[in-house]
Amino acid sequence: MNFSHSRSIPQSAREYGRGIAGGLMFSLPLLYTMEVWWTGFVLHPGRILLYILATFILLILYNRFAGLRRDASIVEVAIDSVEEMGIGVVIAAAILWITGRIDSGMDLSEISGKITMEAMTVAIGVSVGTAQLGADDDGDEGLSGDDGRGSEGYLPQAAIALCGAVLFAANVAPTEEIQVIAMESRPGNLLLLALCSLALGGLVLHFAEIQGHHLHVARDSFLASARGVITTYAVALTAGAACLFFFGQFDGQPLRMILAQTIVIGVPAVLGASAGRLLLQVRPPGA
Amino acid sequence: MNQNRNTDQPSEGKNALEWTVFTFSTLLVGAIIVLLGVDTLRWKEGPARLEIVKGDAKTEDGQLRVPIHIINRGETVAVNVTVEVTDTSSAQGKNATVNFDFVPRGAMREGRAIFPPDQDPAKLEARISGYEVP
């Protein structure tokens, strides 16, 4: 098999080190959230399997369009994604064990469920950390060379927005607060939240001039700008709803509550899909 | 590629460390998928079946502490399980309550019921008074 990258063992070790740091940095709130531990044994194992599949697809999208080896083949990207999931499992298991959340007296289903529900978010953090926390000496040049234009298309940008939205939304999706806000909000408040989310998306993408906006935000015309903001919000709502589904927040809820929760989680998700999306593509100097 | 940019000499293709991490990760993720797959196939809809096992009571710090083990042999997680331990020797017998946040499928949880030191442990009876379905 031909690989587009080759590196020495010390280089690889440093890259794994960055991944471990990123995994902990981006997912520590979830590792310390008890609702996530509970979902590990409350959810149907089939849904946890689906969560693994969804995370794998997300990792492939991120590694392909925004990750460290954007010029790699799909097989290499898949290998990287499996590695990130494996590292995520080890980190999650270690933290859960050290903090006394898993022990040898527990049933294997409970242990595997808890580890998996935590490990998948850690894996996304590992992927982001590997790509963003350094990497100025690895020689990776992006999907189409030095300018990285290959990830500027509409769909690649939507895919990276999805990764950013999941990274932000997953940190609050399992908490009871989302349900409480959704339950106690009047329709007018929910409408205001939706409008605020759209405004936040517009502010980040077209006003705040966040690093990388000139490269990754389409602004040829008013229509292109509006399409960008609306797509970002749609991606945020999709990512938020998916997170809520995977953490069991939709179970047994009426349609009104499902919609309300999705709008509530839309606020952090849209931040991830807009600001997060741009930050996930920031290349370190010299890369 | 700019393989000479760094002082460390890169090898061709993946190195031993990368292959080791990949192999280990594949085995780990594969094992979890198999475990969850088997769990999915064995999954049955049904209620929680809770069983209480009373342990040997001990007097510590002027209190009689009765270990209460609760085991869920059913198909569903039991939430907020309340176990009442009652003195059956008289109509106005003392009682104690032990609460468990969660008892997952196949799991065992342990608590302690507290009584005065003069309580006869043989006269104590434990029963589940209720739980929530998640």
Side-chain angles (χ1 to χ4, degrees), chain A residues 30-49:
Chain A
L30 277 189
L31 286 162
Y32 281 69
T33 302
M34 58 187 178
E35 285 93 338
V36 187
W37 314 329
W38 298 340
T39 54
F41 54 77
V42 170
L43 287 184
H44 189 287
R47 196 186 308 187
I48 302 179
L49 272 176

Side-chain angles (χ1 to χ4, degrees), chain A residues 6-7 12 14 110 137 139, chain B residues 2 6 8 11 15 18 109:
Chain A
S6 56
R7 59 196 70 224
S12 300
R14 280 196 291 273
E110 183 181 351
D137 61 345
Chain B
N2 48 357
N6 200 285
D8 301 315
S11 56
N15 61 46
E18 289 176 335
R109 294 287 187 266

Side-chain angles (χ1 to χ4, degrees), chain B residues 21-44:
Chain B
V21 172
F22 173 63
T23 308
F24 184 67
S25 297
T26 307
L27 290 174
L28 209 56
V29 176
I32 285 181
I33 290 173
V34 168
L35 202 67
L36 287 167
V38 170
D39 225 16
T40 305
L41 293 174
R42 284 185 180 167
W43 182 275
K44 284 183 281 183

Side-chain angles (χ1 to χ4, degrees), chain A residues 1-6 69 71-73 75-77 79-80, chain B residues 1 3 12-15 18-19 22:
Chain A
M1 192 190 295
N2 289 324
F3 289 94
S4 62
H5 300 80
S6 56
R69 287 191 264 277
D71 49 350
S73 70
V75 177
E76 285 177 83
V77 167
I79 288 175
D80 284 350
Chain B
M1 307 304 315
Q3 295 179 2
E12 282 303 311
K14 280 196 170 290
N15 61 46
E18 289 176 335
W19 280 120
F22 173 63

Side-chain angles (χ1 to χ4, degrees), chain A residues 55 90 112 135 152 157 191 209 262:
Chain A
T55 308
V90 172
S112 64
E152 276 180 42
Q157 283 302 310
L191 181 65
E209 297 193 347
T262 308

Side-chain angles (χ1 to χ4, degrees), chain B residues 49-62:
Chain B
R49 282 191 293 120
L50 299 167
E51 186 183 309
I52 301 176
V53 179
K54 223 164 34 122
D56 295 332
K58 276 184 190 165
T59 304
E60 286 171 339
D61 301 328

Side-chain angles (χ1 to χ4, degrees), chain A residues 235-258:
Chain A
V235 165
L237 289 178
T238 308
C243 289
L244 290 169
F245 167 76
F246 283 122
F247 287 112
Q249 298 282 56
F250 286 163
D251 295 359
Q253 299 287 357
L255 187 62
R256 190 213 159 262
M257 266 293 283
I258 290 174

